[in-house]
Each structure stands twice: as structure tokens, then as C-alpha cells.
Amino acid sequence: MKDLRVKLITYGCQMNEYDTHLVASELAASGAALVETVAEANFVIVNTCAVRGKPVDKVKSLLGNLRKEKRERKTPFFIGMMGCLASLQEGRLIAEKFGVDVLLGAGAIHKISEAVSKVARENEAFWDSGFYPEVDELIPPPPRGLSAFVTLIRGCDHHCTYCVVPSTRGPEISRRPGLILKEVERLLAAGVVEVTLLGQNVNSYGKDDPSYPDFADLIRQVAALGVRRLRFVTSHPMNFSDRIISAIAETAAVGQYVHLPVQSGSDKVLKRMAREYRRDYYLERVEKLRRALPDLVLTTDIIVGFPGESEEDFQETLSLYDEVGFDSAYMFIYSPRPGTASAENFPDMPREVKVERLQRLIEKQKEWSLKRNRSWVGRSVEVLVRGVAKDDAWVEGHDQSNHPVLLEREGVSGPGLYRATIEQATPHLLLGRANERLLAPGERA
Ligand code: 5AD
Ligand code: SF4
């Protein structure tokens, strides 16, 4: 179809951001125009998240609006749905209800141009929820800006009982190392300063092919290309080996930041979640990390109100929080997801109990975040300023340990990497002043 004007809308995690960028690049290469608003578009594609009920509800309400738009428009208007929800039976039912034209599961997004042009030309639906190896062969062009994501591995081989991801993204498949290194080289040539390596479980990289490096060696190989700042998400404690800890400690570009989801502090709950480890094992990993990385900034994911979680179990999560002293945490209320083992086998608990526990956990998190953030006051950090000014007084960035940082506007001359001194802390961020710009966009590290 001539005059294809596509608006992409993204929900969910960084993997989805990466996939949206990939799809945008494919569509642009096939001649479509990417537009900023639904009003300008004749094809709207929603990249969906299915991990909890809330993002699914958001997608449904958006699709409702798009269906209305489609009915009211005098000219052709198409709706696309891609990503995690599009891989699931639940998603296909939703797509049917809202008259979705293109549906591509997370493992089929390489078909986007084919799907969009077929639908626009023949006005026939194109649905595919399959998983294909071709999806890993695409290399998206560098995005604009100083930070970029690179997918290492798709899917997950764990079977946490609450989680839809193994169904939405399939089993673990590592991308070819040559492809990853080529992608990183292109990013560096385009002036990218910070690379975030992505996967549901990056620690397992290479396990599916003996000829591939493991994650520890891949970190070294990527850093050796000259990446100034290297990060990775997300990790599973069972796969966070001593080799990986050593690789992080040896690789200056990685910094001392780890996101290590714990989910619960109670052995009973961990077992029901099928997390494969006990509290003590998690604490031992943390101790080892802290020994290797004395300035470690450690963040985590926690689910409250998992079925059968008693007050005592929840107290164990609170006590684990104190024992570790996390710098920050993403905290979630348990959300029963269709098709998952926990939703099928265990009854959900009353919402009031879950909400009340979440509030107590948030209080705990704020206390610790303030304490931990205050320990950075007076210290010198490197802050990556991506560009946008927060307001007249402050500019937003983040440091090598991934703290959000506000820098006084005076002293920041534009996007780039700055040496800065931290002067204040809140539970949510650090505030400071830039001392010098270390790197401007376009300069090689
Ligand atoms: N309910 C609540 N939180 C969940 N997560 C995954 N599945 C669920 C669910 N069903 C959380 C976990 C995971 C993060 C990405 O989302 O904490 O680490
Ligand atoms: Fe889901 Fe568990 Fe895999 Fe993470 S490790 S994606 S929580 S199944």
C-alpha cells in the first residue's frame, strides 16, 4: 500500500522497546512512514506486555479506542498487535474481540513488513503467534542517542509458577555471538556510550550452543570493543555463577550495578514459586557479589501476596530486605495470569491484604533507598545526560550504578557524559553538580 503511515505504541519492558525499534526499522526500510500520533496514522501497531493484569488491561482499553477510530474513519485504518500478549491464547481472544488485523507474537516480529503490506493490500488479517529463529538474525540500525539495547538471548527455560514469559517468549535461544558483536560495533561507530545487554535471563547466554562463549566471556568480548558503559538485565540467581561475578569485577565498563530479582524472602513461598533456590542461597550470592564489588548497587524484584503467603512469610521478605539492604526494588502485587501454574492451582488472596503488604514493603524500600542513596553524597560519579532538561533548574541523567541523577542545569552544556559531585539524596534519586563534560555526542570514548 502506498502511503502507509504507521504509529507504534509500546508497553512493557526493555525487550519490548528493543523489539519496537527493530520493527520500526524494518517498516521504514520497506517504505512506510513512521508517524508520531494516531491521528496521522493509517496503521497503529501496539507492542504488548502480558506479565501482569495491569498492562493487559491497558492494551484492552487502547484497542477499544482504536476499534472506535477504525469504525469512524472514512478511509482505511488498520490495527496491529505484537509482542508477549500476541503470543498467548488470551491475546488471540482479545485480538478477535477488537478486530485486530495484524497479530505477531514476540517470536514472529521479523514478519512485520510482510504482514503489514499484505493486510493493507488485500485487507485480509495476518496472524502468527509462532517462534522463528529468523527473528534473531535481524540487526536493527543504531538508534539516535547515547544509549542502546542489544538483545543477547530470547526466552526463558525457568518455570516460575506465576510467570507467563516462558509461554510468550518461548525457550532460551541465544543470538549468534558474531551478530551481537557486529551490532555493538555499529552502535559504537554511531557514538553510543552505554550499551545494555538484554534477555529474560542473560546469565544463561550460550548454554544452548557449545560453540558460543558463555555470558562471562561475552561480557569481556563486548567490553573489549570499547564500550564505555556496559549493563545487562535481567539475571536469575541460579545462573549467576562465580565466573560471571569475576567477569563483572574485572570489566571496568560494567560498573558495580546488579539487578537480581529475589521475588520473596520465604523458603516456603520460593518453593511454591519454583524459583529453584532458597533464601540462604540468595544471600550467599549477594555476599559473594559484595566481596567482589565493594561499591555494589543492588536492586531486585519482589512479588507480594503470592498465593499462600502468610504474614510470617511476608515478614521473612521484610527481614531479607533488611539483611541485604537493597538500593531499590521493583515491587509487584501478585497477579494471577491465565495458564500459569500458580493461577491454575492456588486461590488468589484478598486484594486488601496484598495492597497492605505492598505498602509496608514500599515503606521499607524508601527507608533503605534513602539510607543507601545518602551514602553517595559527597562522592564523584559519572553521569550520562541523554538530552532532555527536567526543568529550568535540573537536567536528568543516570550514573554508572544506574541511579537516576538530577544535575544542576548550570554547568550542563548538553547531552553527554559528565563527571559530577553528588550533593543531596532522596529515596528516589541523587542530586548534584557537574564538574566537567567527559564526552559529548559524536566523540569516541
Ligand atoms: N504477578 C506479579 N508480578 C509478576 N512478575 C512476573 N510475573 C508476575 C505476576 N504474575 C514480576 C516478577 C518479575 C518481574 C519482571 O515481574 O517480579 O521479576
Ligand atoms: Fe519468568 Fe522466572 Fe523466567 Fe523470569 S526466570 S522470565 S520470572 S519464568
Side-chain angles (χ1 to χ4, degrees):
M1 185 168 107
K2 298 200 296 295
D3 189 31
L4 198 55
R5 285 164 284 122
V6 182
K7 162 73 181 158
L8 286 156
I9 299 171
T10 309
Y11 291 100
C13 65
Q14 293 160 328
M15 293 283 276
N16 268 16
E17 273 182 56
Y18 178 90
D19 285 349
T20 296
H21 172 61
L22 210 156
V23 160
S25 314
E26 289 292 301
L27 288 170
S30 68
L34 300 170
V35 296
E36 294 292 324
T37 61
V38 172
E40 294 166 85
N42 52 18
F43 213 125
V44 177
I45 302 172
V46 190
N47 194 358
T48 60
C49 170
V51 81
R52 282 174 294 276
K54 233 190 212 164
V56 175
D57 291 342
K58 282 190 194 157
V59 168
K60 282 196 217 163
S61 105
L62 174 63
L63 289 174
N65 293 338
L66 293 174
R67 179 175 56 180
K68 191 159 164 270
E69 180 87 22
K70 189 173 180 164
R71 285 181 182 152
E72 288 170 1
R73 285 253 185 134
K74 306 272 180 303
T75 48
F77 182 81
F78 301 101
I79 305 172
M81 178 173 161
M82 60 181 264
C84 281
L85 191 56
S87 305
L88 299 174
Q89 173 64 11
E90 182 190 11
R92 288 190 291 273
L93 293 175
I94 294 171
E96 216 167 275
K97 179 169 167 201
F98 291 101
V100 164
D101 303 289
V102 163
L103 176 133
L104 291 177
I109 55 171
H110 61 291
K111 297 194 177 184
I112 191 70
S113 296
E114 181 193 348
V116 162
S117 77
K118 194 163 167 30
V119 165
R121 245 186 300 117
E122 297 164 23
N123 201 4
E124 220 180 83
F126 187 111
W127 285 23
D128 194 337
S129 297
F131 297 97
Y132 301 88
E134 289 85 350
V135 78
D136 285 321
E137 294 294 321
L138 301 175
I139 297 189
R144 255 173 277 148
L146 298 165
S147 296
F149 300 126
V150 174
T151 292
L152 294 192
I153 174 168
R154 289 178 186 269
C156 182
D157 283 353
H158 291 279
H159 301 282
C160 302
T161 52
Y162 52 82
C163 188
V164 284
V165 166
S167 311
T168 64
R169 289 197 174 257
E172 288 171 1
I173 297 175
S174 304
R175 284 178 83 206
R176 285 192 285 121
L179 220 67
I180 293 166
L181 296 173
K182 193 155 123 194
E183 190 166 330
V184 173
E185 272 172 349
R186 287 193 192 170
L187 294 174
L188 295 179
V192 165
V193 171
E194 178 183 75
V195 173
T196 303
L197 305 174
L198 296 181
Q200 256 68 49
N201 182 11
V202 284
N203 311 148
S204 285
Y205 179 80
K207 275 210 297 201
D208 46 328
D209 192 318
S211 70
Y212 290 3
D214 67 359
F215 183 56
D217 282 337
L218 192 74
I219 286 179
R220 295 187 180 97
Q221 288 176 18
V222 171
L225 297 175
V227 180
R228 174 82 185 220
R229 227 188 236 190
L230 190 57
R231 301 196 291 149
F232 55 88
V233 277
T234 199
S235 298
H236 191 292
M238 283 316 279
N239 306 107
F240 214 102
S241 63
D242 290 354
R243 272 179 60 76
I244 295 175
I245 297 177
S246 305
I248 298 171
E250 277 166 33
T251 312
V254 176
Q256 303 203 13
Y257 165 68
V258 172
H259 180 68
L260 195 62
V262 65
Q263 313 298 1
S264 169
S266 148
D267 281 343
K268 196 185 91 200
V269 174
L270 287 170
K271 190 160 183 204
R272 276 196 160 195
M273 289 177 164
R275 286 293 287 178
E276 305 164 41
Y277 55 84
R278 288 166 175 269
R279 174 193 177 101
D280 280 353
Y281 173 84
Y282 185 89
L283 291 171
E284 184 267 339
R285 285 292 86 190
V286 170
E287 201 187 307
K288 220 161 202 163
L289 274 163
R290 287 233 162 96
R291 239 182 288 140
L293 307 162
D295 275 333
L296 179 70
V297 168
L298 184 66
T299 60
T300 197
D301 290 348
I302 296 174
I303 297 175
V304 301
F306 189 76
E309 181 190 75
S310 64
E311 175 59 28
E312 291 72 46
D313 293 320
F314 178 64
Q315 290 293 337
E316 289 193 41
T317 296
L318 293 177
S319 77
L320 176 109
Y321 207 113
D322 283 328
E323 215 167 322
V324 175
F326 291 107
D327 290 83
S328 190
Y330 295 95
M331 297 158 286
F332 307 103
I333 281 182
Y334 169 72
S335 167
R337 302 300 299 126
T340 57
S342 63
E344 306 283 308
N345 297 317
F346 312 122
D348 199 7
M349 73 170 72
R351 187 166 166 81
E352 312 82 76
V353 181
K354 297 199 278 191
V355 169
E356 193 269 336
R357 285 185 190 163
L358 179 69
Q359 278 160 353
R360 276 190 281 161
L361 186 63
I362 291 173
E363 284 313 305
K364 172 79 64 198
Q365 178 264 328
K366 276 198 207 149
E367 260 170 48
W368 270 107
S369 294
L370 183 60
K371 193 147 110 187
R372 298 283 302 166
N373 284 353
R374 277 192 176 145
S375 74
W376 287 84
V377 172
R379 293 180 65 173
S380 169
V381 296
E382 271 187 17
V383 180
L384 186 68
V385 174
R386 287 208 189 116
V388 277
K390 172 90 177 148
D391 56 32
D392 285 347
W394 301 101
V395 176
E396 253 173 337
H398 57 283
D399 70 6
Q400 65 270 39
S401 322
N402 207 31
H403 293 111
V405 183
L406 291 183
L407 293 180
E408 282 173 26
R409 190 171 186 146
E410 217 173 283
V412 177
S413 42
L417 194 65
Y418 289 82
R419 174 138 307 280
T421 307
I422 299 304
E423 295 178 332
Q424 286 177 64
T426 77
H428 310 290
L429 48 81
L430 307 177
L431 298 101
R433 191 179 339 153
N435 309 120
E436 60 170 321
R437 179 145 80 171
L438 301 169
L439 213 63
E443 286 174 11
R444 286 296 298 264

